[in-house]
Amino acid sequence: MNSIIAQILAMALGRVDMRSTIIETKRSAIGGVLIALFLLTAYGALVTALALWVSTEAGAVAAALVVAAAAIAAALVTLAVVAVMNRQTEQARIARQLAMRSQADPLASGLMRELPEMVRQSPIASTALVAAFVYVMAKSRGFGRPPAE
C-alpha cells in the first residue's frame, strides 16, 4: 500500500515517467487483489478446519458456537486496535496543526490564545482591538486593492 502512495506522490510531484507509474500501479493493484483472494481462501479453510475439529470433540452445535465466539472475539480485538490507532493518528494530526499554528505567525497565534479571555473581561475593548488589528493587517498586506504594477 505504501508503494502505491509513494508512486502517486512521485507522479504528482512530476518525478516519474507517467507510463511506468501507471504500469507499476496496475501491477501492484492486481497483486493486492490476488493476495487478498488467497488470504480469504486460507481464512475460510482455517474456519472450516476449526469447525470440523471442534465438532469431533463436542458436536456440531458446540463447534458452531466456538467458531462464532472466536470470530466475535477477533472482531472485537480488531475493533479495539483500530480505534486506538485512529485515536493516535488524530492526536498526531492535532499536534501537527498546533505546531504549524504556533510556527506560522506568533503574533496572530498569541492574539488568538488571549482573545477569549479578553472578550470575557471587556467585550467592547476587545472588539475595538480586533477591529484595529484587522485594519492594520488589511492596510499592510493590501487586501482589497489591485496589485501595484
Side-chain angles (χ1 to χ4, degrees):
M1 184 69 179
N2 288 338
S3 65
I4 292 174
I5 294 171
Q7 290 173 5
I8 290 171
L9 286 174
M11 186 175 65
L13 296 174
R15 296 182 181 162
V16 180
D17 177 34
M18 193 74 134
R19 184 168 175 78
S20 64
T21 302
I22 291 172
I23 292 171
E24 289 176 20
T25 304
K26 283 181 183 178
R27 191 177 305 129
S28 296
I30 291 170
V33 167
L34 288 175
I35 289 170
L37 179 67
F38 291 137
L39 286 175
L40 285 173
T41 303
Y43 175 74
L46 177 68
V47 169
T48 304
L50 177 66
L52 290 174
W53 178 71
V54 173
S55 69
T56 61
E57 299 291 325
V61 174
L65 289 174
V66 167
V67 170
I72 289 173
L76 291 175
V77 168
T78 303
L79 181 66
V81 168
V82 169
V84 167
M85 292 174 71
N86 285 344
R87 183 167 169 84
Q88 289 174 346
T89 303
E90 181 68 17
Q91 288 175 343
R93 184 188 62 80
I94 290 171
R96 279 192 310 271
Q97 285 180 346
L98 289 175
M100 288 181 66
R101 283 183 192 159
S102 65
Q103 291 175 357
D105 188 10
L107 178 64
S109 64
L111 179 64
M112 294 307 287
R113 229 182 357 259
E114 297 295 326
L115 190 61
E117 185 63 31
M118 287 173 28
V119 169
R120 274 188 232 112
Q121 290 178 356
S122 176
I124 295 172
S126 60
T127 303
L129 179 65
V130 169
F133 180 71
V134 169
Y135 177 76
V136 168
M137 293 301 289
K139 286 296 182 181
S140 67
R141 294 194 180 171
F143 291 127
R145 285 188 250 156
E149 292 182 34

